[in-house]
């Protein structure tokens, strides 16, 4: 009698232990917006849970810098905006590495007022005022300076307030091609001219997932599960029912509206930000070493790095992507339309 | 041989300093002086004796042109247009400019008159020698003792060769030995420069020792209540302080002060 | 002990402490294996300083230009406006509240706006640093100009000094200790204002200062370089402090209680 009770209890305890999900924290690089949609989708529709993950999404923001938290061990995965962060980390021997790239195109763009002669990209370098935020000032702005002739004298700090741009017709400012133009149209009542940096040689991946190298070495299964679940989350977000994800993001960022997010998703699809090129063939999150190397060489030419300064094997690992994860879900959702 | 004291004039020539029926009322109602009349002839040494609050400092300031009467008239060289520097004032504190050396402090009145530098230097040197501070021209006030600072203050007062010397309890903050020595020297300076001196004090002994006439004042309201002539020729030896005549004069004045205090 | 040997002796203790702190820091980093992107060891920082010295020197020079330029403007503005306030109490009543508003407005909040509205980044940085440095000089000089000895004021009146003579010979020297106290405070604040403004400006403008380089190094995770620039900033602050202390001692030493070496 007592033996059976003990056996039952033990089995229950072992079973529940096996079923305990891995608690992980994923930090983003901005307040919740459509560009984070896939992750929130995976959270609210149970995909992360299905993969045994108990995920907490920690927002970034204008005065929040989540980047040091990853090497410090305070978070498990980090969203970064472009490969330059990964190059810097590798150069400074920071033990982190990119494991997936959710965006095939960097939505980083320059916005301008229509009718000011800024319809051509080449004219932008002569704008008297360029509103660029800190992060960009010390990274891709340097590339714009060296490769496209932009001037530091025109640079003014951008504090995520549209006011100065709206007030000055000759000003240009930074933004995500899938976000700021929507806000500019809502507040300024005009459609801005949008120049995607990716169309002019800034060929980096974007919205990458970074992890500690020790996590990749010691818990590769955990990393794989997170990458896979996130990719499926993105498929569901783009092609399925987004309502619950939208509600979750508005809860985290009350200043966001569902209408803005819908418009953003449309732009993401139209500009091929997420699901294009390599991703269309090999699944969302796809990365290739050739493209990473090519981007690095361009940045060397732009003077941001010295040749051979960065060990590209420490920049990204390709073991978790390019496996077509989520393609079946996408076929089901788009085929059904 | 000590020179005979200059005789105080017996018939009233026009006094150099005079108050006639002067009231001084301050805003708020305080009556500092009530119907005060007094006169000082040229060359006289007169003491104003009285307790705190009797208005003796106000009298000096009126004569210096630093204050105005509410009623009555005040006559003094400082109040008439004309060359300034005729009236000198010595305060109870040395009132030196701490950021300037002794020589620059003494030179101030001449510099304010825009005298040429050579004249200023000569005058400063001369007056410093006269007050016994010959080697101290480049010293800072902070380096001097209380008595020496007061000498500098007097030197500054004398540098313009004034006609009138107004002094407001200048030695009150000094120790007895220094005070007595300065009393002696003050009389020498007064005689040498033929000054007209009006000396305010609350020390009976000092008033008797220094002056030819002592005016006793009472407080609340400020008014002159008594006058005593001190008929002792100059120079007055230090030993005179221990004579019965001196004591008698002191007693007389003390009584007058007491009486005024009780009556007032 | 004479001159330089005494100074060396006095410096021995603080230098020993500083070296001990650096040694402790180095040992801590090595023993705990702290990675250099979290906390670089002093030896690593020194290496970064040598490596990037030339380019950091340019930025250092720019920060110095902003700091001292703003300080000079703050002196000029503060003294001028204080003098105007001294001449016109009505003007002071009208404008002093505005000065207080300038003082309490946090520069961190205002700097982004100024950088947008003012075309030249250098002018914007100067303005930000000036706003922070200006008030202590104004406030202290106003008090200083009022702090003249009342009896010295009377003395100047007695000798019929002109308003200009009063300002130059009495009020300005009286105000000097207060002005220097304000200057000591403003020196440090000017550096802080320049650094804060540079932090907001980032890479904007033709030249950039040390704070901008600190930001840049921080964004690129180049922590040793960040510390190297920080060392230069701290050195600047210390030099400013020591420099103004020396100035104060030189100007006030002989006569002001604050700087006098006599025990009190």
């Amino acid at each position: 009698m007592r033996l059976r009770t003990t056996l039952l209890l033990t089995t229950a305890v072992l079973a529940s232990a096996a079923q305990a999900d891995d608690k992980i924290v994923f930090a983003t690089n901005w307040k919740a917006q459509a560009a984070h949609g896939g992750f929130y989708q995976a959270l609210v529709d149970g995909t992360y849970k299905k993969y045994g993950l108990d995920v907490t999404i920690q927002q970034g923001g204008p005065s929040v810098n989540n980047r040091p938290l990853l090497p410090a061990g305070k978070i498990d995965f980090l969203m970064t905006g472009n490969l330059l962060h990964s190059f810097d980390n590798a150069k400074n021997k920071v033990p982190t590495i990119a494991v997936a790239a959710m965006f095939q195109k960097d939505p980083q763009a320059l916005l301008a007022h229509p009718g000011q002669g800024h319809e051509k990209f080449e004219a932008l370098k002569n704008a008297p005022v360029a509103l660029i935020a800190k992060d960009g000032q010390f990274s891709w702005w340097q590339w714009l300076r060296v490769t496209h002739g932009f001037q530091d004298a025109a640079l003014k700090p951008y504090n995520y307030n549209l006011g100065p741009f709206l007030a000055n017709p000759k000003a240009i400012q930074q933004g995500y091609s899938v976000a700021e133009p929507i806000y500019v149209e809502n507040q300024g009542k005009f459609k801005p001219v949008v120049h995607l940096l990716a169309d002019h040689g800034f060929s980096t991946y974007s919205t990458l997932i970074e992890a500690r190298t020790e996590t990749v070495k010691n818990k590769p299964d955990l990393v794989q599960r997170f990458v896979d679940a996130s990719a499926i989350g993105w498929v569901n977000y783009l092609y399925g029912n987004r309502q619950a994800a939208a509600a979750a993001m508005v809860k985290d960022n009350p200043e966001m509206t569902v209408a803005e997010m819908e418009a953003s998703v449309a732009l993401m699809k139209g500009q091929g930000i997420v699901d294009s090129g390599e991703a269309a063939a090999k699944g969302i999150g796809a990365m290739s070493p050739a493209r990473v190397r090519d981007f690095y060489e361009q940045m060397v030419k732009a003077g941001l790095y010295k040749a051979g300064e960065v060990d590209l094997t420490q920049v990204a690992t390709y073991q978790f992507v390019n496996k077509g994860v989520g393609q079946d879900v996408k076929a089901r959702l788009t085929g059904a339309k | 041989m000590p020179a005979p004291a200059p005789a105080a004039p017996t018939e009233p020539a026009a006094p150099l300093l005079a108050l006639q029926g002067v009231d001084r009322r301050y805003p708020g109602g305080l009556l500092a002086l009530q119907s005060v009349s007094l006169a000082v002839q040229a060359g006289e040494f007169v003491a104003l004796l009285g307790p705190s609050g009797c208005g003796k400092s106000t009298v000096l300031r009126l004569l210096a042109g630093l204050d105005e009467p509410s009623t009555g008239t005040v006559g003094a060289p400082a109040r008439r247009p004309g060359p300034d520097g005729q009236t000198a004032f010595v305060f109870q504190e040395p009132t030196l400019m701490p950021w300037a050396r002794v020589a620059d402090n003494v030179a101030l009145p001449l510099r304010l008159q825009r005298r040429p530098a050579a004249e200023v230097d000569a005058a400063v040197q001369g007056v410093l020698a006269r007050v016994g501070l010959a080697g101290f021209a480049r010293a800072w006030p902070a380096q001097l003792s209380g008595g020496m600072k007061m000498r500098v203050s007097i030197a500054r007062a004398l540098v313009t060769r004034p006609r009138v010397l107004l002094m407001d309890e200048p030695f009150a903050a000094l120790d007895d030995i220094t005070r007595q020595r300065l009393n002696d020297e003050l009389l020498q300076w007064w005689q040498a420069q033929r000054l007209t001196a009006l000396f305010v004090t609350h020390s009976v002994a000092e008033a008797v020792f220094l002056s030819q006439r002592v005016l006793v004042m009472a407080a609340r309201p400020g008014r002159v209540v008594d006058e005593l002539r001190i008929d002792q020729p100059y120079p007055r030896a230090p030993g005179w302080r221990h004579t019965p005549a001196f004591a008698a004069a002191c007693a007389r004045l003390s009584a007058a002060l007491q009486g005024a205090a009780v009556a007032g | 002990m004479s001159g330089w040997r005494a100074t060396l002796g006095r410096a021995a203790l603080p230098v020993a402490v500083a070296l001990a702190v650096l040694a402790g820091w180095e040992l801590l980093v090595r023993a705990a294996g702290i990675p250099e992107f979290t906390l670089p060891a002093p030896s690593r920082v020194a290496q970064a300083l040598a490596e990037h010295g030339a380019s950091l020197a340019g930025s250092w020079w720019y920060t110095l230009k902003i700091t001292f330029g703003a300080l000079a403007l703050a002196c000029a503005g503060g003294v001028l406006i204080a003098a105007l306030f001294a001449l016109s109490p009505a003007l002071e009543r009208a404008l002093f509240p505005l000065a207080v508003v300038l003082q309490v407005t946090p520069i961190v909040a205002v700097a982004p706006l100024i950088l947008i509205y003012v075309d030249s980044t250098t002018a914007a940085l100067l303005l930000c640093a000036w706003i922070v440095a200006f008030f202590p000089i104004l406030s202290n000089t106003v008090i200083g100009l009022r702090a003249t000895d009342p009896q010295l004021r009377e003395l100047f009146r007695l000798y019929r000094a002109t308003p200009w003579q009063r300002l130059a010979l009495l009020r300005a020297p009286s105000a000097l200790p207060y002005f220097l106290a304000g200057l000591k405070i403003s020196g440090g604040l000017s550096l802080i204002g320049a650094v804060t403004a540079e932090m907001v400006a980032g890479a904007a403008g033709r030249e950039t200062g040390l704070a901008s380089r600190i930001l840049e190094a921080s964004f690129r995770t180049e922590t040793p370089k960040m510390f190297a620039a920080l060392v230069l900033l701290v050195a600047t602050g210390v030099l400013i402090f020591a420099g103004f202390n020396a100035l104060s001692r030189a100007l006030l030493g002989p006569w002001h209680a604050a700087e006098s070496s006599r025990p009190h």
Side-chain angles (χ1 to χ4, degrees), chain B residues 61 64-66 78 80 82 84 89 91 93 95 98-99 108-109 112 140 142 156, chain C residues 149 151-152 154-162 165 169-170 173-174 254-255 262:
Chain B
R61 298 184 68 242
L66 295 174
R80 294 192 282 273
D84 39 50
F89 204 114
F91 300 88
E93 287 86 31
T95 310
W99 55 81
L108 178 69
L112 289 176
W140 297 92
R156 176 179 62 199
Chain C
D149 183 340
Q151 293 191 324
L152 274 176
E154 303 237 284
L155 198 72
F156 272 65
R157 256 181 84 197
L158 190 66
Y159 292 110
R160 302 185 192 161
T162 64
Q165 283 176 324
L169 298 175
L170 177 60
S174 298
W255 58 272
R262 277 169 47 217

Side-chain angles (χ1 to χ4, degrees), chain A residues 155-177:
Chain A
L155 180 61
K156 292 224 180 265
Y158 174 56
N159 293 301
Y160 307 106
N161 180 335
L162 291 177
F165 171 70
L166 295 176
N168 182 352
K170 292 215 167 301
I172 64 175
Q173 76 157 57
Q174 72 173 58
Y176 257 20
S177 64

Side-chain angles (χ1 to χ4, degrees), chain A residues 127-271:
Chain A
V129 172
L131 295 153
I132 311 290
K134 286 292 173 322
D135 200 16
Q137 282 181 20
F138 298 118
S139 57
W140 47 263
W141 173 259
Q142 303 304 322
W143 165 78
L144 279 176
R145 250 186 351 114
V146 176
T147 316
H148 292 285
F150 282 69
Q151 303 286 327
D152 268 335
L155 180 61
K156 292 224 180 265
Y158 174 56
N159 293 301
Y160 307 106
N161 180 335
L162 291 177
F165 171 70
L166 295 176
N168 182 352
K170 292 215 167 301
I172 64 175
Q173 76 157 57
Q174 72 173 58
Y176 257 20
S177 64
V178 300
E180 268 72 18
I182 302 168
Y183 315 145
V184 167
E185 209 177 327
N186 285 344
Q187 288 185 40
K189 311 282 185 254
F190 65 88
K191 271 179 118 69
V193 175
V194 180
H195 293 280
L196 207 54
L197 294 188
D199 292 337
H200 299 277
F202 199 63
S203 59
T204 177
Y205 292 112
S206 180
T207 306
L208 302 125
I209 302 177
E210 270 202 354
R212 280 188 294 284
T213 46
E214 105 187 300
T215 314
V216 167
K217 194 160 81 128
N218 298 337
K219 299 197 230 177
D221 173 66
L222 174 71
V223 178
Q224 185 70 67
R225 281 186 279 139
F226 183 68
V227 169
D228 289 345
S230 303
I232 292 174
W234 270 102
V235 172
N236 280 321
Y237 182 71
L238 288 176
Y239 305 112
N241 185 332
R242 292 183 276 282
Q243 278 181 343
M249 285 193 275
V250 167
K251 188 146 161 283
D252 261 2
N253 179 11
E255 282 160 38
M256 185 53 65
T257 70
V258 178
E260 281 168 345
M261 288 192 286
E262 280 301 305
S264 188
V265 170
L267 287 172
M268 275 193 265
K269 286 188 187 166
Q271 296 173 12

Side-chain angles (χ1 to χ4, degrees), chain C residues 116-139:
Chain C
I116 299 290
Y117 294 139
V118 177
D119 267 336
S120 151
T121 306
T122 302
L125 294 178
L126 275 173
L127 182 59
C128 289
W130 178 85
I131 287 175
V132 176
F134 155 79
F135 188 82
I137 294 183
L138 171 68
S139 158

